[in-house]
Amino acid sequence: MSKQQVFTGSPWEPLVGYCRAIRVGNRIEVAGTTAMQDGIVVGAGDPYAQTRFVLQTIEKALNDLGANLSHVIRTRMFVTDISRWEEVGRAHGEFFGQIQPVATMVEVSALIDPLLMVEIEVEAMIENDPEAE
């Protein structure tokens, strides 16, 4: 079975040794994704804006691997302030309201940059694996 990887140019990818997303067969895993672009936090202080940016980044990674948001079966949301869960949830609902994957949201004490408020990872499954046919 072949492996496809997507990289976003994050400074942490080569340092830590990971890719943004990986596809093996019909399964896609997207690494924890934050609202960081070119070393700058997008939407500092705004968990809604950060969540939208994160989900747009995830959507692009899925597209690069031949999938889309409808293939997502699970999301995991890590937030630094659970009292603001509704802002994160509203953005998540804008992307997944019709898809409704299983989802988890938990509060964590910190993310890799103190301005980051949200990190999301997803799992996706594509119905047909071209290599299996």
Side-chain angles (χ1 to χ4, degrees):
M1 204 175 290
S2 71
K3 176 173 75 171
Q4 294 174 271
Q5 294 172 286
V6 169
F7 297 88
T8 57
S10 160
W12 297 304
E13 289 171 346
L15 180 67
V16 176
Y18 74 98
C19 62
R20 173 64 40 222
I22 191 167
R23 178 177 176 175
V24 179
N26 67 340
R27 184 179 179 124
I28 297 173
E29 297 279 345
V30 182
T33 303
T34 62
M36 187 71 82
Q37 184 175 40
D38 301 324
I40 307 286
V41 173
V42 175
D46 184 347
Y48 173 79
Q50 287 192 20
T51 303
R52 285 193 51 80
F53 182 86
V54 166
L55 292 173
Q56 289 166 349
T57 302
I58 288 170
E59 183 174 31
K60 181 179 181 331
L62 289 168
N63 292 164
D64 289 348
L65 292 172
N68 59 56
L69 292 174
S70 72
H71 294 109
V72 173
I73 60 171
R74 170 177 288 285
T75 65
R76 290 182 187 90
M77 296 166 273
F78 305 94
V79 300
T80 58
D81 183 355
I82 200 72
S83 73
R84 298 184 72 181
W85 72 269
E86 290 179 86
E87 295 167 81
V88 175
R90 180 167 49 99
H92 185 276
E94 289 171 7
F95 284 79
F96 292 110
Q98 297 301 311
I99 300 163
Q100 296 183 315
V102 295
T104 301
M105 183 187 303
V106 296
E107 183 177 54
V108 296
S109 62
L111 296 172
I112 200 161
D113 183 296
L115 295 176
L116 292 169
M117 304 176 78
V118 180
E119 183 166 337
I120 301 174
E121 59 183 40
V122 306
E123 297 175 31
M125 291 279 246
I126 298 175
E127 290 182 24
N128 296 321
D129 176 6
E131 289 187 15
E133 296 174 358

